[in-house]
Structures are given as structure tokens and as C-alpha cells.
Amino acid sequence: MSHPSVQTASESQIDYQFRCAGLPLGVYREVASHLRQVVGVETGLASPTNAQFDYYQSQVGHLWLRYTENASVASRQQVDRILSYYSDRFGGWQTVC
């Protein structure tokens, strides 16, 4: 059974994957919600890859982001501003390979 907040996308569709160490699940959901409001952006949360629960680790593997064909330069700039806002408050984003 999958968690309703975890959305999947095929690897070929994903443009970017980000992680912020220790970021709480609620904040990840908030970031994804803000990003979904940007025209031309699709986003979701991926499950963590570690099999063992660790209270001190984030309960999200990473945030994925995909720009659709109608994403404008302004949309991309808005995504940068949203990610910067959360980075300033919770620590830097790391790109997931």
C-alpha cells in the first residue's frame, strides 16, 4: 500500500531530485504543495530508500520535480525562489543522483 502523499514518476520524466537532510515530512509536503502551484511544474515525494526506520532521519527519500513543456522562465525562477526560501530556513538542498 502506498502513502497518499508519495507520488511516483518514471525516471525518464524526472528533471530534478532534491533532498534536505533531516527535513520533516510535513515540511516536505508543504514544499511540494507550493511547487505544485507553479505553472508548468509537476512534483512529488519519493519514499526513503533505507529499510529501517530512524526517528532522526527524514521520512521522505527526496523531492522530485519535472518541468512540463509550458514551464516558462518565470516558472523556473519561482521554483528557485521557493527552494531558496526553504533552504534558508532548514538547510541546503542536495541533488540526488
Side-chain angles (χ1 to χ4, degrees), residues 7 33 42 45 73 83-84 88:
Q7 298 178 358
S33 177
E42 294 176 355
L45 305 175
V73 171
L83 293 175
S84 291
D88 290 346

Side-chain angles (χ1 to χ4, degrees), residues 32-90:
S33 177
H34 285 170
L35 291 173
R36 282 188 199 105
Q37 295 176 35
V38 179
V39 174
V41 172
E42 294 176 355
T43 190
L45 305 175
S47 298
T49 55
N50 55 346
Q52 199 168 17
F53 177 80
D54 183 348
Y55 184 80
Y56 297 103
Q57 296 297 315
S58 176
Q59 300 310 301
V60 173
H62 62 270
L63 170 83
W64 61 263
L65 179 119
R66 181 171 100 68
Y67 291 108
T68 63
E69 44 295 329
N70 61 342
S72 66
V73 171
S75 293
R76 290 172 184 265
Q77 291 171 340
Q78 182 65 21
V79 166
D80 289 343
R81 285 191 296 272
I82 291 169
L83 293 175
S84 291
Y85 173 87
Y86 287 97
S87 178
D88 290 346
R89 283 146 186 84
F90 297 99

